[in-house]
Amino acid sequence: MPRPGRNTYSDQKPPYSYISLTAMAIQSSPEKMLPLSEIYKFIMDRFPYYRENTQRWQNSLRHNLSFNDCFIKIPRRPDQPGKGSFWALHPSCGDMFENGSFLRRRKRFKVVKSDHLAPSKPADAAQYLQQQAKLRLSALAATGTHLPQMSTYNLGVSQPSSFKHPFAIENIIAREYKMPGGLAFSTMQPMPAAYPLPNQLTTVGSSIGTGWPHMYSSGMIDTATPISMASSEYGAYGVPIKPLCHGGQTLPAIPVPIKPTPAAVPALPALPAPIPTILSNSPPSLSPTSSQTATSQSSPATPSETLTSPAPALHSVAVH
DNA sequence: AAATGTTTAGCGTGAC
DNA sequence: GTCACGCTAAACATTT
């Protein structure tokens, strides 16, 4: 794969915060969770700028992971030896970025810690995410279906229209899907000629069809995977049900509280109770089967349950 | 030892 | 000016 020289735009710093980059990496993974090393890898693969000064930005990135409530830590299972935990996005943080733009958060995501009833704790979110990942894998194993691998960080759902901000992760990640010949192409929408990139970006003409001068297509995403935005392929919070095909990554660990909050947290059931939706602004179209009921408390999840299990109420607020 | 995770601090920028 | 956000640095603890 060709690499640009140092004087190309690809070496410039992407207009994304570390929070955004981390969110992209996590959302690009099939299980919506990645270990730190994979987050590093994702960023370095796609943004040549971050192939240098790794100590600096990786320290900042770790700081962000720990500091921001929108990231939750999920421990590895005992049969998953390795360093560090998995990191995931808090299910309720999908509305952090205005219009789905990853340029700057419109508000800080903050988990409510005072609600003694709602499972608002990061550990609860971690538990839910682990459950979701497990259910996705169960569905895959049961059906053998090769579901589309497409990141859908459901940021634009607050908007009634189908508009997706150019910096929404759907566009950012979709843009890097590669053609067999190595050329990236947009799987979501044509890249406007005058892309509203900050600074110099509108003048970029050498972005090799990606419309995105900072990002490299690394081949990390399965390029042979068909891509679809069909609503039926989405699970809870508009997250697509996707196969486990991410470099042999294994199941997430058993949920264990990582970031305990001062408030006492009652023990959670093995599986979260069904709650209509996490993203209150998620359009019905992304939860086509949400009317169905799914009780995964006492029985193994079936694929249909996997696709219809509603999200638990993970109460959180975005404070500004 | 190295990687990972947590915490504190200071500074710059943009919005209000 | 204030505030929120983001970046960087640093120190320290924990885990593998």
Side-chain angles (χ1 to χ4, degrees):
Chain A
M1 186 172 65
R3 293 186 58 181
R6 280 200 49 80
N7 56 352
T8 67
Y9 288 101
S10 295
D11 283 338
Q12 292 191 359
K13 186 173 184 176
Y16 300 117
S17 66
Y18 291 122
I19 295 174
S20 302
L21 293 169
T22 306
M24 290 179 206
I26 292 171
Q27 283 296 315
S28 74
S29 71
E31 297 169 343
K32 307 301 177 190
M33 59 184 73
L34 283 178
L36 184 62
S37 60
E38 289 299 314
I39 297 173
Y40 291 160
K41 183 171 179 294
F42 176 94
I43 294 173
M44 286 190 288
D45 280 350
R46 282 159 175 74
F47 302 98
Y49 174 85
Y50 291 110
R51 291 170 186 164
E52 298 177 355
N53 301 315
T54 56
Q55 289 296 320
R56 189 198 314 184
W57 68 264
Q58 287 178 356
N59 182 29
S60 296
L61 192 143
R62 290 195 304 272
H63 160 77
N64 276 281
L65 283 171
S66 294
F67 182 77
N68 291 289
D69 285 344
C70 60
F71 298 114
I72 55 178
K73 202 169 66 173
I74 300 173
R76 293 173 184 267
R77 295 186 314 184
D79 59 332
Q80 289 181 299
K83 271 203 166 185
S85 306
F86 288 93
W87 288 94
L89 285 167
H90 193 289
S92 300
C93 73
D95 199 28
M96 283 190 304
F97 301 94
E98 190 169 15
N99 289 340
S101 171
F102 272 66
L103 293 176
R104 183 184 174 92
R105 289 188 299 179
R106 65 177 175 183
K107 52 199 170 186
R108 172 177 292 176
F109 176 81
K110 191 74 176 176
V111 173
V112 172
K113 303 184 188 307
S114 58
D115 190 338
H116 63 284
L117 293 177
S120 61
K121 315 307 179 294
D124 299 346
Q127 178 181 21
Y128 176 78
L129 289 171
Q130 288 196 332
Q131 183 64 26
Q132 286 298 304
K134 192 160 82 174
L135 293 177
R136 286 187 208 113
L137 296 176
S138 299
L140 177 66
T143 64
T145 302
H146 192 61
L147 295 172
Q149 181 175 9
M150 181 61 214
S151 177
T152 56
Y153 195 68
N154 202 19
L155 297 173
V157 295
S158 60
Q159 296 176 295
S161 71
S162 61
F163 169 78
K164 290 293 187 298
H165 193 283
F167 282 88
I169 194 167
E170 292 94 328
N171 290 332
I172 295 165
I173 296 178
R175 223 168 281 145
E176 61 182 333
Y177 279 84
K178 290 193 304 181
M179 297 291 285
L183 279 179
F185 72 102
S186 172
T187 60
M188 300 293 293
Q189 59 189 42
M191 183 59 61
Y195 206 62
L197 298 176
N199 302 329
Q200 80 295 341
L201 301 183
T202 54
T203 65
V204 173
S206 61
S207 48
I208 324 262
T210 65
W212 179 234
H214 305 297
M215 183 183 283
Y216 253 36
S217 182
S218 67
M220 181 176 171
I221 293 175
D222 181 6
T223 57
T225 303
I227 298 156
S228 169
M229 292 294 285
S231 60
S232 62
E233 293 159 352
Y234 292 81
Y237 359 83
V239 173
I241 309 303
K242 300 196 298 185
L244 177 62
C245 53
H246 184 243
Q249 182 162 330
T250 54
L251 271 169
I254 296 168
V256 172
I258 295 296
K259 285 184 177 179
T261 56
V265 183
L268 289 170
L271 295 174
I275 310 271
T277 182
I278 281 291
L279 295 176
S280 58
N281 50 6
S282 296
S285 62
L286 294 180
S287 302
T289 57
S290 59
S291 62
Q292 302 177 19
T293 59
T295 55
S296 53
Q297 283 278 7
S298 58
S299 62
T302 66
S304 95
E305 285 172 342
T306 300
L307 294 172
T308 58
S309 293
L314 295 165
H315 291 240
S316 60
V317 296
V319 295
H320 195 194

